[in-house]
Amino acid sequence: MLSANHLDYMITDLALYRFYTSTTICLPDFGIICPLKNNLEVQYHDINDANTLHSLQLHPHDFFVFQTGLPVTLIPDDMCIYLMIRLNPAFLLNLFSADRFSSLPVCHLASQFWAETLYAILNMSHLYVTNKEKNEFQIISNLYNTLDSFFPPVVPLKKSSQLRHSEKRKELILSYIENHIQDTFRQNKTARVLGLTPQYLSAWFQKNFNCTFSDYILNKKIEAIKLWLRYTSISEIEIAEQFHFKSVDILQNAMFQQCGLSLFQYRETFQKKETLSLPDSGNKLPLSPYYDELLSTNLTHTPSSTDIFPVEEDIHKISHKSVRYCPNSWKYLLNMGYAYQFNDNRMQIQLRKFQKEVHFKYGRICRLLDLTTLHSINHTTRYGFENIFLLLDDMLQLDLIPFIELGYKHAKIHFQFHETQILTMDEEVCSYYDKLIQILPDFLRACCNRYGIETVKLWEFSVYYDFIEEYEHLSTITFRQYMDYYQTIRSLIKSLVPEAKIGGADFNIFLPFELWEDKFRTLQDSQITMDFITINAYGGVMTDSEIHLSLDSDYMSNKIKEATKLINSYYPSIPVLITEFSFCYTSRNYLNDMIFSSCFLASFLIENMHLVKGMGYFTMSDLSVSYSDSWNLFFGGNGLFNYIGIPKPTYHIYKFFRELGTQIIGHSSDYLITTDSNYHFQALFINYVHINEEAAYDIHNKKLLDTPEQLFAHTTPQTLHIQIEQAVPGTYLFKTYTVNAFNGNILSYWAKCSSITHLSKQDYETFEQLAQPGINLYTKNVSSDELLDFTVHLEPSEVKLILIDYIEN
């Protein structure tokens, strides 16, 4: 499945057609038609009354928007040239509220368009047909800006300033539910988020809607699901998962009780596959030459002084018109380490703390079946899984879905720029796989008996292959042997738990993409099926046979973009997961312990979370890479916690992302601004500074302990002036959390300690307090101009989260 913010997910087709005679089309997408030469008559029957025929005359640069499954007859006036854009209904449903989606006007006259809007749409099309891969992000930006022309916001009867206090509260409650309708709702949590008591919220729904909170949520979910059934082809099972129903049967019963139809019957009412009819591809025109002529002659646009609102260069205007969905891929995967490490109670404590504060979806655990025990019963060997169940019980109680890494994977640490194996495996690779295949059926049956197949079918299994060892000619197993084992493992799991997802194989961005393509062709030739493809991403590069950290600040993001594009070219419908990523691939580098890594992490998540389905930072805890050389509070380990459980700066980045809203209204390389409603805004700011050549080649970067400025590129403080439009007039509380060299980072304090071998309770509490981000509070007023205006000052290597909440009128 493509990422929700991938261009091919948004626009399913864009082309230019020439027609001489009438034709009827019926699309599986939302269609937009714009005549560019001569007039075009459009005829269609009313969606709610088949006996009513509508007829519209479109002139050049008028736009006609029509829904999924609606037959439309196009009657050209002489020869007509028209542009057709097809948009994925799922993309639109995630982008707009149900009310806004349902209020779609079908005809947009050129005379009512702003010149910039028309120009932007056609320019976006020009970029798309010229080179959509190269211009992807510019096209997406144009697309978001122009969609508001087709999906105008629903205008309330009264302005927020005219609403009584009870009406504002009603708007706040209902808008929160609308914006989070796909989430799991719990009355206590919802009340806490809204600043209410559960008792008040319960009584409020009884008074206003004569129903319980749960019944209202269920009804609103069903209303939203009806749109997904009506306009998309997404399966009923996927829709049930998307809206957090425990099973499709529960959703089926709720649907039937509300409208007397099954999910399939409701979809069939609107979607009839036999009526689908696409335009004849033989009528497509050569694209780029026509657009070049069109844009250079008819639509050359020079904005006048009245077209553009005069602003200062450093002002960033943030508008709700450019809203888009904020992906959750950043919290898809929590790397927990190797199974044997969870014998350490500190690991369990850190896991509980992190999951409580951030709440990841999947927990990735490596070599789980190594915890299998053997028992001799009546002279027969039986497998025992009691140690595994202790770990799985903890994960499931924390609402973590197991992501089980299978395969022969060494437990390694990186002392310098080479790997040192610290966990010796006695068996050969092939014998390990043979034993794994022997244990796996009994393990899955035991899990289904203990947790139920409905739980186990949600688990994901990834079969690892070490491409780096193969590349360095150290591997004792070939890729073809790996494929045979993968197929066997997949068949075993699918035979017992058909719905479980199985994938692999951890391609590494360090390796040439020619090697990737060779493996993809091998997989395709062997007809290997994967439910997802996994990749690893680290900042290591090789120059002149020497490995070092990359000096290019965009190295990893560019590699991810190239990798996902390559994977999508071979497997366009398979999700991509970044199962491991970090800038430092060595686990003895002090860059991992300081503010640099938190700035990198924030920047990486912002730049890449829309490209993949999920990603997992490596790793949760320094305990997973502790060794005889690491009995210090910090030792350059690449975890989010140090080994005694004190959060590192990177830990706070995940907490910051947890606070972000569901809709992105502002996005650049320096910030991400989100919202849940006109009353709440969240803004994340970064002043990222990359390493210099000295740091790139240094083995441990110990200079960070006394002269950190010597390891980074020269930069200056940054000031951003932000203006958020359409804010509700009144007073807002600004709560700023800061992570920098002096806040949320104890590396400098630790370096000054005379002894850290044994910390007293008071020492630990002091360090824990120093590890917290700095907090600052202030208020600002918004007047009737509905402009929320504020300035953010960022020192080099600093991250700030600003939570902005409406508090009073």
Side-chain angles (χ1 to χ4, degrees):
M1 186 182 295
L2 290 172
S3 164
N5 282 294
H6 193 286
L7 180 59
D8 289 338
Y9 176 84
M10 302 171 183
I11 301 177
T12 53
D13 191 32
L14 188 154
L16 198 66
Y17 292 90
R18 175 174 54 199
F19 277 90
Y20 297 92
T21 59
S22 63
T23 184
T24 299
I25 60 174
C26 183
L27 303 180
D29 324 288
F30 263 75
I32 301 171
I33 288 176
C34 174
L36 298 179
K37 183 175 182 180
N38 292 330
N39 299 332
L40 180 67
E41 183 182 351
V42 177
Q43 293 182 353
Y44 64 98
H45 288 275
D46 194 294
I47 195 76
N48 298 313
D49 182 4
N51 296 320
T52 302
L53 180 67
H54 297 279
S55 180
L56 294 171
Q57 190 74 14
L58 301 183
H59 302 287
H61 305 154
D62 289 341
F63 285 84
F64 174 70
V65 184
F66 56 106
Q67 300 175 351
T68 303
L70 177 68
V72 174
T73 300
L74 307 176
I75 305 172
D77 181 1
D78 194 14
M79 182 211 55
C80 179
I81 295 174
Y82 69 84
L83 168 71
M84 178 183 290
I85 305 171
R86 291 166 54 188
L87 300 174
N88 182 359
F91 159 61
L92 296 175
L93 282 167
N94 273 324
L95 190 62
F96 298 120
S97 67
D99 289 342
R100 193 172 178 189
F101 190 84
S102 303
S103 62
L104 168 68
V106 296
C107 190
H108 304 262
L109 303 180
S111 60
Q112 297 173 357
F113 268 25
W114 286 7
E116 291 91 342
T117 304
L118 178 60
Y119 179 83
I121 293 170
L122 295 176
N123 188 50
M124 175 192 74
S125 305
H126 172 64
L127 294 171
Y128 185 94
V129 301
T130 303
N131 190 330
K132 72 175 184 179
E133 287 80 14
K134 178 181 178 182
N135 301 315
E136 178 175 4
F137 295 101
Q138 192 175 352
I139 294 167
I140 291 174
S141 176
N142 274 295
L143 177 61
Y144 280 118
N145 290 333
T146 56
L147 276 177
D148 276 309
S149 303
F150 301 126
F151 292 82
V154 179
V155 180
L157 296 176
K158 294 182 180 179
K159 287 187 175 182
S160 297
S161 57
Q162 298 173 327
L163 295 176
R164 298 194 306 270
H165 181 72
S166 60
E167 293 173 324
K168 287 183 179 179
R169 174 160 288 175
K170 182 175 183 179
E171 180 182 321
L172 176 63
I173 294 172
L174 299 186
S175 65
Y176 176 81
I177 292 173
E178 177 76 31
N179 291 329
H180 295 80
I181 195 60
Q182 293 188 22
D183 293 352
T184 300
F185 281 87
R186 292 183 176 86
Q187 185 168 303
N188 288 352
K189 179 182 176 182
T190 304
R192 185 171 66 253
V193 170
L194 294 170
L196 306 171
T197 65
Q199 295 78 9
Y200 178 90
L201 192 63
S202 176
W204 188 88
F205 274 96
Q206 284 292 153
K207 178 181 177 181
N208 287 273
F209 296 98
N210 195 30
C211 68
T212 65
F213 170 79
S214 299
D215 286 343
Y216 181 85
I217 296 297
L218 179 60
N219 290 335
K220 295 300 288 185
K221 279 183 178 286
I222 296 298
E223 287 179 19
I225 287 168
K226 286 179 180 178
L227 294 176
W228 285 82
L229 292 170
R230 178 172 179 171
Y231 295 118
T232 76
S233 59
I234 295 175
S235 72
E236 288 87 348
I237 292 176
E238 288 177 298
I239 291 176
E241 292 176 353
Q242 184 172 313
F243 282 83
H244 288 84
F245 283 83
K246 291 184 178 179
S247 71
V248 70
D249 292 336
I250 294 174
L251 172 57
Q252 191 81 262
N253 293 335
M255 184 74 181
F256 193 83
Q257 289 178 11
Q258 187 178 98
C259 62
L261 296 173
S262 69
L263 300 171
F264 176 78
Q265 290 169 333
Y266 187 87
R267 174 169 271 164
E268 281 289 294
T269 304
F270 298 96
Q271 294 189 29
K272 302 186 186 305
K273 293 183 179 179
E274 62 274 11
T275 65
L276 294 180
S277 177
L278 302 179
D280 186 353
S281 60
N283 289 317
K284 283 187 178 182
L285 279 176
L287 298 168
S288 193
Y290 186 87
Y291 279 114
D292 291 341
E293 178 185 355
L294 180 69
L295 292 170
S296 62
T297 56
N298 298 342
L299 286 170
T300 299
H301 177 67
T302 305
S304 66
S305 59
T306 57
D307 287 332
I308 302 175
F309 188 84
V311 295
E312 299 175 19
E313 275 191 6
D314 61 343
I315 293 180
H316 299 260
K317 277 193 170 294
I318 308 300
S319 171
H320 288 270
K321 291 182 179 180
S322 58
V323 66
R324 58 185 172 121
Y325 175 69
C326 187
N328 279 331
S329 57
W330 62 269
K331 64 173 182 177
Y332 187 86
L333 205 60
L334 174 61
N335 271 306
M336 296 163 49
Y338 287 83
Y340 76 92
Q341 295 163 338
F342 277 80
N343 292 326
D344 190 328
N345 185 54
R346 294 174 297 176
M347 186 77 86
Q348 299 170 27
I349 293 171
Q350 292 172 25
L351 174 62
R352 285 194 289 271
K353 175 180 174 61
F354 198 35
Q355 184 66 353
K356 178 182 178 181
E357 295 192 343
V358 182
H359 195 229
F360 276 74
K361 184 174 182 180
Y362 285 90
R364 179 174 178 251
I365 191 77
C366 299
R367 294 187 66 109
L368 183 66
L369 294 188
D370 286 7
L371 299 182
T372 305
T373 56
L374 295 178
H375 304 279
S376 180
I377 303 175
N378 295 329
H379 306 291
T380 301
T381 300
R382 301 289 183 185
Y383 297 115
F385 306 108
E386 56 275 6
N387 294 331
I388 298 177
F389 289 150
L390 291 175
L391 176 53
L392 293 177
D393 288 349
D394 282 344
M395 292 175 66
L396 294 171
Q397 286 172 9
L398 294 170
D399 202 23
L400 264 175
I401 302 172
F403 185 98
I404 300 174
E405 186 79 68
L406 298 172
Y408 190 84
K409 185 174 186 179
H410 293 299
K412 301 174 182 177
I413 61 167
H414 299 259
F415 285 117
Q416 299 175 5
F417 293 143
H418 62 274
E419 292 180 341
T420 301
Q421 184 178 325
I422 64 168
L423 182 64
T424 303
M425 310 301 178
D426 295 331
E427 63 276 343
E428 295 293 327
V429 178
C430 291
S431 64
Y432 177 85
Y433 273 108
D434 293 337
K435 185 182 295 184
L436 179 71
I437 290 167
Q438 188 176 355
I439 295 172
L440 196 54
D442 286 353
F443 169 69
L444 290 173
R445 291 189 192 98
C447 289
C448 290
N449 291 337
R450 185 180 182 92
Y451 305 112
I453 195 167
E454 291 299 315
T455 295
V456 179
K457 73 180 185 181
L458 300 176
W459 298 4
E460 298 192 0
F461 300 83
S462 181
V463 185
Y464 175 82
Y465 181 72
D466 198 326
F467 287 98
I468 298 294
E469 284 201 350
E470 180 195 82
Y471 188 69
E472 295 176 345
H473 306 291
L474 299 174
S475 180
T476 58
I477 181 174
T478 66
F479 189 68
R480 289 195 175 273
Q481 286 177 299
Y482 161 80
M483 290 194 304
D484 291 339
Y485 282 121
Y486 172 86
Q487 281 286 66
T488 303
I489 291 170
R490 180 182 177 86
S491 299
L492 279 175
I493 296 173
K494 288 289 187 181
S495 67
L496 296 168
V497 191
E499 296 92 342
K501 300 286 193 302
I502 303 101
D506 288 82
F507 293 90
N508 199 302
I509 66 167
F510 175 80
L511 301 175
F513 283 118
E514 292 80 9
L515 184 145
W516 290 43
E517 292 196 81
D518 178 63
K519 302 305 183 188
F520 289 148
R521 286 191 291 267
T522 304
L523 289 169
Q524 288 187 333
D525 291 343
S526 303
Q527 298 183 334
I528 300 290
T529 302
M530 289 190 170
D531 297 319
F532 54 83
I533 290 178
T534 56
I535 60 180
N536 294 168
Y538 293 93
V541 296
M542 180 178 287
T543 2
D544 300 326
S545 301
E546 186 174 8
I547 302 175
H548 62 88
L549 297 175
S550 175
L551 285 165
D552 180 2
S553 60
D554 297 320
Y555 166 77
M556 288 182 62
S557 290
N558 289 339
K559 282 281 193 176
I560 295 298
K561 289 169 188 172
E562 190 175 350
T564 53
K565 179 181 174 182
L566 177 61
I567 292 172
N568 287 329
S569 70
Y570 281 89
Y571 302 100
S573 60
I574 296 182
V576 178
L577 304 179
I578 304 175
T579 51
E580 292 182 11
F581 79 90
S582 180
F583 182 73
C584 294
Y585 55 91
T586 57
S587 51
R588 292 296 181 273
N589 194 316
Y590 287 109
L591 286 171
N592 290 320
D593 292 338
M594 70 163 305
I595 187 63
F596 164 80
S597 286
S598 59
C599 289
F600 161 78
L601 177 58
S603 179
F604 185 87
L605 294 180
I606 287 176
E607 290 296 317
N608 298 284
M609 64 182 180
H610 63 286
L611 294 174
V612 295
K613 183 179 180 181
M615 55 178 96
Y617 184 79
F618 190 82
T619 180
M620 182 188 79
S621 174
D622 279 357
L623 286 169
S624 62
V625 290
S626 62
Y627 195 53
S628 58
D629 68 327
S630 58
W631 302 118
N632 290 325
L633 185 61
F634 284 97
F635 55 86
N638 43 17
L640 299 166
F641 289 95
N642 69 13
Y643 82 95
I644 62 171
I646 295 178
K648 298 187 186 182
T650 44
Y651 174 90
H652 301 300
I653 299 305
Y654 278 112
K655 288 188 67 176
F656 286 0
F657 268 77
R658 176 66 190 274
E659 297 293 337
L660 295 178
T662 56
Q663 302 291 332
I664 297 174
I665 57 174
H667 180 203
S668 78
S669 59
D670 301 317
Y671 60 78
L672 184 69
I673 301 177
T674 64
T675 185
D676 288 317
S677 72
N678 286 357
Y679 296 88
H680 304 279
F681 304 95
Q682 307 83 27
L684 184 70
F685 297 93
I686 313 155
N687 188 357
Y688 177 77
V689 184
H690 200 59
I691 59 174
N692 61 22
E693 189 169 1
E694 183 176 359
Y697 286 88
D698 194 301
I699 294 175
H700 299 296
N701 283 302
K702 288 187 176 180
K703 286 186 179 178
L704 287 171
L705 304 181
D706 43 28
T707 56
E709 64 280 356
Q710 295 184 17
L711 299 178
F712 295 94
H714 176 72
T715 191
T716 57
Q718 185 177 12
T719 300
L720 299 173
H721 189 174
I722 306 296
Q723 291 183 340
I724 300 178
E725 299 174 335
Q726 299 176 333
V728 178
T731 303
Y732 288 79
L733 175 65
F734 281 64
K735 184 181 288 187
T736 302
Y737 296 86
T738 302
V739 174
N740 56 24
F742 309 103
N743 296 281
N745 171 36
I746 67 170
L747 190 62
S748 59
Y749 298 102
W750 162 73
K752 297 174 183 177
C753 288
S754 57
S755 173
I756 56 169
T757 306
H758 301 287
L759 289 179
S760 67
K761 181 179 179 182
Q762 184 177 358
D763 291 334
Y764 178 85
E765 291 174 350
T766 301
F767 274 127
E768 195 173 42
Q769 186 63 38
L770 291 170
Q772 297 304 310
I775 301 178
N776 182 42
L777 300 175
Y778 64 94
T779 60
K780 287 191 76 73
N781 293 319
V782 173
S783 59
S784 57
D785 63 2
E786 299 184 343
L787 199 65
L788 186 57
D789 189 301
F790 61 99
T791 299
V792 181
H793 179 80
L794 293 164
E795 292 295 326
S797 296
E798 185 168 70
V799 183
K800 286 187 176 181
L801 172 71
I802 303 179
L803 303 181
I804 307 168
D805 293 309
Y806 178 90
I807 54 175
E808 62 182 353
N809 191 2

